[in-house]
Amino acid sequence: MSMIDNTQPAIKVDTYLKSVFPADFLWGAATASYQIEGAAYEDGRGLSIWDQFAATPGKVYQGENGDVAADHYHRMPEDVALMSELGLNAYRFSIAWPRILPQGTGTVNERGLDFYDRLVDLLLARGITPLVTLYHWDLPLALHEQKGWLNRDTACAFADYAEVVTRRLGDRVDWWTTLNEPWCSAYLGYDTGAHAPGIRNKQSSYIAAHHLLLAHGLALSRLRAYTRKSAQLGITLNLTPVYAADDRPETLRAVERADKTSNRWFLDPIFRGNYPEGLFADAGVAPPPIRHDDLNIIATPIDFLGVNNYSRSLIRAQTGESGDDTNRGYEHVAGVADATYTEMGWEVYPQALTDVLVRVHRDYAPRAIAVTENGAAFADQWDGSDHVSDPQRIHYLREHLKALGWARAQGVPVRGYFVWSLLDNFEWAEGYSKRFGIVYVNYPTQRRIIKDSGHWYAAFIAAQRRQQVP
Ligand code: FCB
């Protein structure tokens, strides 16, 4: 397929994007605490499930871990300066719960709060709007030792933690999401075990998901109490539209089932106060322990939905014995002719972003939406100079920004877009082998080099700002 048609940072964007994005649109980049901070044993930080998981042989690529990562904890002012250089007017980062409450509950570690306090002030001084994620997967290990997300008390502990953070930052930060991708926490953490805490039990993943959703709902009133009137409260979900690879009725039924387990599992309780019909039966599990009022709490209205989207799912009903999961009766189709795949093996399919945004708007009508993650890993090469050429990422970003423009043009109230990621970082079970940054990180020296895609994105934002998109 013709992948690369622009290797220069110079910008060319279709005319229709002109004026599709309002002047106050948030153009940002995203990161997460464990993936960039390092300083794992400093300033009173407690351990998280990811410290333990990464230390377990065989769990992370080449036994890598987040002890140093991109050393952002020590280089934070330099990284904020980079954001300015790129012209970002927004930055999404997550707070490490174990820095704030090293044991998960109880004693507050002020030095942890001080770090994020300084970060917020530096961002605001440069006109960059902070968007805070309270939980991007680094659960305090002490809570995991009491069963983590399988324990309902963890939801209450999360609400207490949310209050501690908003009491400190709520006077300056307006954009908050409770959880990042609870689907990943529940499914990868408790069903496949590919992520921390590495449990492999389908039933457990449905229990964990319920407690994660409850944590989100319980935290909302605490966030509301300690933030300004202008605060925008939400949650970030990873949403992947599911498409049928053929038109057999069994494939169409499989598409519905797959949509339920990958998207509606979280969308329905948050926006409709119900789990989708048949969700538990399809998975062959018992319903999680849902107490009276839980679903009302979970459905507490939010101001915006954070959507993370990278690709699509293309599936077909299984015909024979083979396939990736006989329980579900369908399989994912890979190796689509003419398609491009990223280093993660994810198909580049920009239409998915338009489709998922239009669908969420139509079916769930959140008051506003922010695309809180979108981006691509490619095998970037650095030759020691001041440049990193990454034409495939430029192509990816350009096509996805067009797709975003299409969604807005169709009336979807999208208010922000955050590239994943600002920096190359610790990509969970893939360690440092996958680079998602628009800024290259040379790990041995921690030198940062803005990739061509970073320059391209900066030019795109500048052109938007001038409203001079050619
Ligand atoms: C998302 C995660 C983020 C990053 C990207 C590639 O699922 O939220 O931390 O790993 O994928």
Side-chain angles (χ1 to χ4, degrees):
M1 123 160 207
S2 67
M3 254 171 5
I4 303 154
D5 52 7
N6 185 352
T7 52
Q8 298 304 315
I11 172 143
K12 264 203 168 147
V13 177
D14 298 32
T15 353
Y16 78 81
L17 282 187
K18 188 175 175 179
S19 73
V20 168
F21 299 107
D24 63 353
F25 196 84
L26 301 177
W27 293 111
T31 62
S33 47
Y34 189 71
Q35 295 182 273
I36 63 163
E37 285 179 0
Y41 304 95
E42 283 176 51
D43 288 348
R45 176 186 178 276
L47 293 177
S48 84
I49 52 173
W50 269 94
D51 297 299
Q52 187 196 50
F53 189 74
T56 311
K59 300 295 185 189
V60 174
Y61 175 77
Q62 290 194 350
E64 292 169 339
N65 61 50
D67 284 2
V68 178
D71 197 31
H72 170 73
Y73 193 79
H74 298 120
R75 291 161 198 269
M76 182 263 282
E78 179 195 337
D79 290 338
V80 175
L82 263 176
M83 297 174 211
S84 257
E85 201 179 325
L86 292 167
L88 307 186
N89 66 357
Y91 173 54
R92 172 179 183 242
F93 62 95
S94 80
I95 293 189
W97 184 350
R99 281 198 198 281
I100 310 302
L101 293 147
Q103 296 304 309
T105 56
T107 312
V108 174
N109 175 35
E110 295 296 331
R111 285 177 299 173
L113 282 169
D114 292 344
F115 172 75
Y116 299 106
D117 205 300
R118 287 196 302 275
L119 168 59
V120 164
D121 283 345
L122 282 180
L123 292 169
L124 294 174
R126 290 182 181 267
I128 300 170
T129 300
L131 188 157
V132 170
T133 301
L134 284 165
Y135 182 71
H136 201 127
W137 307 353
D138 38 5
L139 184 74
L141 189 59
L143 293 182
H144 173 64
E145 282 159 358
Q146 292 159 49
K147 291 204 160 41
W149 290 112
L150 299 178
N151 183 345
R152 190 181 168 91
D153 293 347
T154 299
C156 303
F158 177 75
D160 291 344
Y161 153 65
E163 177 175 328
V164 170
V165 176
T166 37
R167 273 174 182 263
R168 176 66 92 89
L169 303 178
D171 61 337
R172 282 155 293 153
V173 174
D174 273 347
W175 289 81
W176 296 86
T177 62
T178 51
L179 309 177
N180 176 70
E181 303 188 350
W183 182 92
C184 289
S185 300
Y187 179 70
L188 302 177
Y190 290 84
D191 183 346
T192 70
H195 280 186
I199 291 168
R200 293 188 185 161
N201 182 299
K202 190 170 286 297
Q203 180 71 60
S204 294
S205 76
Y206 284 82
I207 297 169
H210 184 67
H211 292 148
L212 281 152
L213 281 163
L214 186 63
H216 156 75
L218 288 172
L220 286 172
S221 55
R222 314 286 276 275
L223 289 171
R224 198 65 82 189
Y226 297 100
T227 48
R228 302 189 284 203
K229 281 216 163 57
S230 45
Q232 299 292 306
L233 310 183
I235 183 170
T236 281
L237 302 180
N238 53 309
L239 300 178
T240 305
V242 186
Y243 301 81
D246 59 54
D247 56 9
R248 287 177 299 149
E250 53 271 39
T251 290
L252 301 183
R253 282 196 299 275
V255 165
E256 265 187 42
R257 275 203 309 284
D259 179 46
K260 239 189 269 179
T261 46
S262 41
N263 302 313
R264 294 184 52 202
W265 183 2
F266 292 87
L267 282 167
D268 281 26
I270 289 168
F271 289 102
R272 299 179 177 160
N274 271 309
Y275 283 109
E277 210 184 311
L279 176 75
F280 307 121
D282 284 358
V285 297
I290 305 169
R291 290 198 198 158
H292 175 68
D293 226 30
D294 280 5
L295 284 157
N296 286 332
I297 294 167
I298 292 168
T300 302
I302 52 177
D303 302 310
F304 80 104
L305 177 69
V307 173
N308 291 357
N309 173 262
Y310 289 88
S311 186
R312 67 162 170 175
S313 286
L314 182 64
I315 67 163
R316 64 175 158 237
Q318 279 169 317
T319 38
E321 295 288 293
S322 64
D324 51 11
D325 187 337
T326 36
N327 263 339
R328 294 186 306 208
Y330 60 83
E331 61 191 355
H332 288 269
V333 178
V336 175
D338 291 339
T340 308
Y341 289 83
T342 71
E343 278 290 291
M344 297 294 282
W346 299 342
E347 184 187 350
V348 178
Y349 195 76
Q351 178 72 35
L353 182 59
T354 310
D355 290 350
V356 79
L357 293 172
V358 168
R359 185 267 179 111
V360 163
H361 175 55
R362 185 195 64 209
D363 291 355
Y364 299 94
R367 291 179 198 157
I369 296 178
V371 174
T372 38
E373 285 181 29
N374 174 249
F378 290 109
D380 306 315
Q381 301 297 329
W382 178 54
D383 61 6
S385 73
D386 292 340
H387 293 280
V388 176
S389 164
D390 59 341
Q392 291 171 295
R393 190 173 290 102
I394 293 177
H395 169 81
Y396 183 98
L397 292 180
R398 185 198 303 106
E399 295 309 310
H400 282 80
L401 288 168
K402 281 191 210 165
L404 180 72
W406 271 121
R408 264 202 71 95
Q410 290 174 63
V412 183
V414 192
R415 294 188 53 192
Y417 173 88
F418 295 79
V419 173
W420 184 270
S421 179
L422 176 71
L423 303 169
D424 290 337
N425 60 50
F426 177 80
E427 178 46 38
W428 308 114
E430 306 291 336
Y432 297 96
S433 66
K434 303 287 185 272
R435 293 180 177 271
F436 273 92
I438 53 172
V439 175
Y440 187 90
V441 176
N442 179 46
Y443 294 110
T445 62
Q446 292 292 346
R447 183 172 159 198
R448 277 85 164 119
I449 302 113
I450 298 178
K451 300 179 192 175
D452 283 353
S453 60
H455 291 295
W456 184 89
Y457 188 46
F460 175 89
I461 296 171
Q464 286 296 327
R465 205 157 280 154
R466 293 193 307 269
Q467 287 288 297
Q468 285 172 355
V469 177

